[in-house]
Amino acid sequence: MKPVFNKQPSAILGMSQGRAVWPTAVALIAAGGLFLSVLGAALPALFLMALLGLILVTMVYFLGGPRVLGVANHITLVRALLVSWMIGALAVPQLFLDAVWPLLSVALLVLALDGVDGWVARRLDQCTAFGARFDMEVDAALIMVLCLALWMSGQAEAWVLLIGAMRYAFVLAGSIAAWLRRPLPYSFRRKLVCVVQVAALLIALSPLVGSGLQAMLLATALLALTYSFAVDVIWLWRQRQPEAALTHENYRSAQ
């Protein structure tokens, strides 16, 4: 008998994608409303959080997602809905000063689950291109939210938004230049830099550091991210020129 863990959740629970996704979404949206209410968020924050959560789940359900979401994608969905809590809090930037620790706790949970969804996907043989892209976009959204929180709460200058915007600028450039849309090989460096970005932003948001150390952390994070994107862009540029193309093995050995 094959282990039950090799089956999709629908085979275990008898759920279609819709039945499996919506209860998770509704529960987390309701919990997010309660969370923001306890923090003292105004109605616009609650409305924004709920709207984003519903849009997110609708997009996952109707646009490009697998017929049945696996356990790993459910964990990524939880991460995405937790990010929507923080997006809702942006409607009241003062919360990132008055209630920073609860919000940082949510961000830390999103970061912690980032390692869990990938492990579960490998353990249950649920690795898909959709899941990898979903996970990547949640990481990018978290970084952008933290950058906006620092700027909107007056804790950092507008240049901090460059950290969050770089991923979206890369995607926009790819819509213009086809060679930027080529698949990139796996890189531990890329994942490490992502974790460093989130960690630096979380520390910068905390009241534990002064303005001088905060600026140093953010500048270091921006430089590391710029380097990481530069490596990928150079590799993609070389790939578009067959005579100068690097093999996957050469690229990996260069990291």
Side-chain angles (χ1 to χ4, degrees):
M1 180 182 293
K2 293 183 178 179
V4 71
F5 295 108
N6 288 335
K7 298 181 179 180
Q8 293 283 1
S10 59
I12 301 171
L13 304 175
M15 293 182 178
S16 68
Q17 175 181 310
R19 287 183 178 178
V21 169
W22 284 104
T24 302
V26 171
L28 280 169
I29 290 171
L34 179 61
F35 173 76
L36 292 179
S37 297
V38 170
L39 296 187
L43 186 60
L46 305 179
F47 176 78
L48 177 62
M49 180 273 300
L51 178 63
L52 287 171
L54 291 173
I55 290 173
L56 167 69
V57 177
T58 302
M59 289 178 65
V60 170
Y61 183 65
F62 289 107
L63 302 179
R67 176 177 172 79
V68 177
L69 290 183
V71 176
N73 283 332
H74 268 78
I75 296 173
T76 308
L77 177 63
V78 169
R79 295 180 63 229
L81 289 168
L82 290 174
V83 171
S84 77
W85 294 15
M86 300 191 66
I87 294 175
L90 288 174
V92 188
Q94 187 64 27
L95 289 175
F96 287 93
L97 295 172
D98 298 340
V100 64
W101 289 115
L103 289 168
L104 286 180
S105 298
V106 173
L108 282 170
L109 180 57
V110 176
L111 181 61
L113 290 175
D114 187 23
V116 175
D117 55 6
W119 180 85
V120 170
R122 293 186 295 272
R123 177 70 176 82
L124 303 186
D125 194 23
Q126 294 177 353
C127 297
T128 63
F130 169 81
R133 181 62 181 269
F134 191 17
D135 182 66
M136 183 191 308
E137 297 304 335
V138 173
D139 291 339
L142 175 62
I143 290 172
M144 188 74 245
V145 169
L146 294 174
C147 291
L148 284 167
L150 280 163
W151 175 59
M152 294 174 68
S153 63
Q155 299 182 64
E157 299 296 330
W159 63 264
V160 74
L161 298 179
L162 292 173
I163 298 175
M166 202 169 296
R167 157 70 183 164
Y168 299 104
F170 179 78
V171 172
L172 179 61
S175 69
I176 300 171
W179 59 273
L180 284 170
R181 297 195 297 270
R182 293 176 65 99
L184 284 162
Y186 171 79
S187 170
F188 175 75
R189 176 259 311 159
R190 196 179 303 121
K191 194 70 175 177
L192 177 62
V193 167
C194 177
V195 173
V196 168
Q197 303 307 299
V198 178
L201 291 166
L202 290 176
I203 295 171
L205 262 175
S206 77
L208 300 178
V209 297
S211 58
L213 180 56
Q214 180 194 70
M216 186 182 302
L217 277 171
L218 295 176
T220 301
L222 180 58
L223 287 173
L225 188 62
T226 302
Y227 165 78
S228 183
F229 270 100
V231 170
D232 287 340
V233 169
I234 291 171
W235 185 85
L236 289 168
W237 174 262
R238 289 177 175 173
Q239 285 292 99
R240 72 184 287 276
Q241 304 176 59
E243 68 278 8
L246 293 175
T247 65
H248 185 174
E249 290 74 22
N250 287 339
Y251 173 76
R252 290 293 300 278
S253 65
Q255 305 312 300

